[in-house]
């Protein structure tokens, strides 16, 4: 069974393009255009194998989303990748402290994205 | 003394009351001194004294130039405030243009992503149909279909430019708003000399905007523009913690 990835980004273009890339690689993709929507989906029963989130979003930021997810029952150990234009070391450290799994700086080459995703989800 | 009083009256027509009375006092005092010095020695001597007093008054009238230039300075301050309002209209125009660029590139990117996804889905269907063809025909078609489909993923990845551009424009918009606010403050201060010193330092505000830079390229540009040589380590592009 294909792994499910939850994409969280306020950019429709990013959601659509990453969904297409991941879907083509055989993953099932769920999307949320905000941190709030992601939390709602997780509370509503969505059980992704990986969450990929942006940092700069209106409302709940990506870092806050990670913190929220980490205290939700059943999601303490879910891998969470940050994909963002942010490259500041301080933010990176903040994400690491919030227990993010990894950090990718946009624009990410599809091959690089898939390589990292497959490293985290070796069984696809 | 009569002449002195007349001069004082004339001064009152040109000077603010406080300044005119001060000038009259100066002239009056000087005339009295002169009269005492000359005594009743002759009207010519008094007249010469009046001429000398006129030069004292002229000196004060030159001082009166301060008053006149204050008014001119005020007028120029209003003019500058007016210019600032026009610059604000210009920064607003820049922001509007930025929003349009974001909107048009966003729409274009959405259309392209949709088209690429549809194209990819059609290619997948085509590949399935080719399985029903004789092997000699399907081999050539498969290679062609694969060639057509190969760039799709790369193109989808390239569309991240829209998000990156959008954030760059949003950053410029934030900078523009800082400039805008600064111009509002400056224009306000144009009419209130007492609080002139309280206007924020633009360079400080500009440097503060560095906190809003999210991309290393933005920070580098900012450092160059601000004349700073501070550079930080941005870390690897991909990092697993």
């Amino acid at each position: 069974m294909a792994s499910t990835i939850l994409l969280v980004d306020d950019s429709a273009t990013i959601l659509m393009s990453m969904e297409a890339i991941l879907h083509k690689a055989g993953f099932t993709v769920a999307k949320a255009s905000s941190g709030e929507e992601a939390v709602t989906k997780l509370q509503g029963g969505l059980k992704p194998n990986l969450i990929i989130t942006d940092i700069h979003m209106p409302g709940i930021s990506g870092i806050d989303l990670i913190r929220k997810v980490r205290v939700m029952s059943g999601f303490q150990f879910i891998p969470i990748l940050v994909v963002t234009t942010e490259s500041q070391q301080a933010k990176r450290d903040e994400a690491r402290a919030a227990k993010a799994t990894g950090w990718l700086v946009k624009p990410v080459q599809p091959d690089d994205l898939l390589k990292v995703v497959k490293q985290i989800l070796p069984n696809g | 003394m009569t002449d002195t009083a007349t001069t004082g009256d004339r001064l009152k027509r040109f000077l603010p009351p406080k300044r005119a009375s001060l000038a009259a006092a100066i002239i009056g005092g000087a005339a009295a001194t002169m009269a005492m010095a000359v005594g009743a020695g002759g009207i010519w001597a008094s007249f010469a004294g009046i001429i000398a007093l006129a030069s004292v008054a002229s000196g004060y009238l030159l001082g009166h130039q301060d008053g006149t230039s204050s008014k001119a300075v005020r007028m120029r301050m209003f003019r500058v405030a007016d210019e600032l309002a026009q610059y604000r209209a210009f920064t607003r125009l820049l922001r509007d243009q930025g929003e349009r660029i974001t909107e048009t590139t966003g729409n274009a990117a959405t259309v392209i992503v949709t088209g690429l996804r549809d194209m990819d889905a059609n290619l997948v269907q085509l590949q399935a149909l080719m399985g029903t063809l004789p092997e000699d025909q399907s081999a050539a078609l498969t290679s062609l279909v694969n060639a057509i489909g190969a760039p799709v993923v790369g193109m989808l990845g390239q569309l991240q430019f829209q998000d990156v551009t959008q954030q760059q424009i949003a950053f410029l918009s934030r900078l523009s708003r800082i400039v805008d606010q600064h111009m509002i403050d400056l224009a306000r201060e144009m009419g209130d000399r007492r609080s002139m010193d309280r206007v924020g330092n633009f360079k400080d505000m500009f440097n503060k905007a560095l906190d809003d830079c999210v991309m290393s390229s933005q920070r580098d540009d900012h450092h160059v523009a601000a004349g700073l040589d501070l550079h930080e380590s941005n870390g690897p592009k991909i990092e697993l913690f």
Side-chain angles (χ1 to χ4, degrees):
Chain A
M1 190 178 161
S3 297
T4 300
I5 300 173
L6 173 61
L7 286 176
V8 190
D9 203 308
D10 59 322
S11 161
T13 311
I14 292 289
L15 282 181
M16 289 173 76
S17 59
M18 286 182 75
E19 179 194 24
I21 292 166
L22 293 167
H23 182 73
K24 199 167 166 55
F27 296 101
T28 301
V29 179
K31 295 182 291 183
S33 56
S34 67
E36 288 86 346
E37 190 184 344
V39 170
T40 304
K41 286 196 170 177
L42 293 173
Q43 286 172 339
L46 180 69
K47 297 278 180 198
N49 304 94
L50 167 67
I51 296 174
I52 298 178
T53 182
D54 186 19
I55 288 287
H56 294 283
M57 295 183 288
I60 299 176
S61 74
I63 303 275
D64 287 338
L65 174 65
I66 297 169
R67 292 192 185 112
K68 279 183 185 290
V69 170
R70 287 291 177 234
V71 295
M72 286 171 71
S73 173
F75 295 106
Q76 285 92 339
F77 302 107
I78 185 173
I80 304 177
L81 275 179
V82 173
V83 181
T84 175
T85 49
E86 174 75 66
S87 57
Q88 205 174 1
Q89 188 60 45
K91 284 281 180 191
R92 208 181 277 245
D93 293 340
E94 213 179 321
R96 190 200 302 260
K99 294 190 173 62
T101 309
W103 183 281
L104 287 84
V105 178
K106 289 177 191 170
V108 188
Q109 291 304 314
D111 287 350
D112 291 334
L113 174 68
L114 292 174
K115 201 182 292 177
V116 172
V117 169
K118 283 174 182 169
Q119 200 174 332
I120 294 169
L121 302 173
N123 298 323
Chain B
M1 293 300 288
T2 308
D3 287 335
T4 306
T6 304
T7 307
D9 289 337
R10 284 180 184 156
L11 285 172
K12 282 177 187 170
R13 285 206 293 272
F14 295 101
L15 295 173
K18 203 172 171 185
R19 194 175 280 263
S21 53
L22 184 59
I26 291 169
I27 293 170
T33 308
M34 185 68 105
M36 279 189 285
V38 175
I43 193 165
W44 292 109
S46 295
F47 188 70
I50 294 303
I51 298 294
L53 289 172
S55 67
V56 173
S58 300
Y60 193 76
L61 281 172
L62 283 176
H64 167 59
Q65 287 299 317
D66 288 344
T68 307
S69 51
S70 290
K71 191 177 175 186
V73 167
R74 269 202 305 280
M75 291 310 288
R76 284 187 188 127
M77 286 166 84
F78 293 149
R79 174 74 192 276
V80 172
D82 183 52
E83 292 283 332
L84 287 171
Q86 293 180 50
Y87 296 152
R88 288 191 59 217
F90 181 67
T91 59
R92 198 160 46 241
L93 178 71
L94 291 178
R95 285 197 297 277
D96 289 348
Q97 288 297 314
E99 281 171 18
R100 284 202 193 102
I101 291 169
T102 299
E103 189 183 349
T104 50
T105 55
N107 291 340
T110 304
V111 170
I112 293 169
V113 172
T114 308
L116 286 171
R117 285 199 316 185
D118 291 350
M119 193 175 98
D120 195 53
N122 289 334
L123 286 173
V124 170
Q125 282 187 6
L126 190 56
Q127 277 171 330
L129 284 172
M130 284 182 320
T132 62
L133 292 174
E135 199 172 326
D136 58 327
Q137 293 175 16
S138 73
L141 277 175
T142 300
S143 133
L144 185 60
V145 166
N146 287 343
I148 294 170
V152 169
V153 170
M155 287 193 280
L156 286 168
Q158 288 299 314
L159 283 167
Q160 291 170 80
F161 93 90
Q162 195 273 331
D163 185 47
V164 173
T165 307
Q166 182 182 344
Q167 292 192 41
Q168 286 166 334
I169 290 171
F171 174 67
L172 289 178
S173 182
R174 279 198 294 276
L175 276 185
S176 156
R177 283 184 195 285
I178 288 173
V179 174
D180 217 29
Q181 185 57 49
H182 193 62
M183 286 195 281
I184 291 170
D185 293 343
L186 283 174
R188 191 183 300 127
E189 302 312 327
M190 288 290 169
D192 185 4
R193 286 174 54 195
R194 288 167 302 176
S195 53
M196 193 74 84
D197 296 336
R198 294 205 294 268
V199 178
N201 182 292
F202 182 72
K203 192 173 180 183
D204 291 343
M205 292 159 74
F206 186 70
N207 286 336
K208 207 173 170 188
L210 191 63
D211 297 339
D212 292 329
C213 295
V214 294
M215 292 180 224
S216 56
S217 59
Q218 287 176 339
R219 275 195 291 278
D220 286 347
D221 289 346
H222 198 107
H223 282 132
V224 170
L228 303 172
D229 56 359
L230 176 71
H231 282 273
E232 59 182 302
S233 166
N234 291 316
K237 203 161 182 297
I238 296 173
E239 183 180 6
L240 290 179
F241 299 134

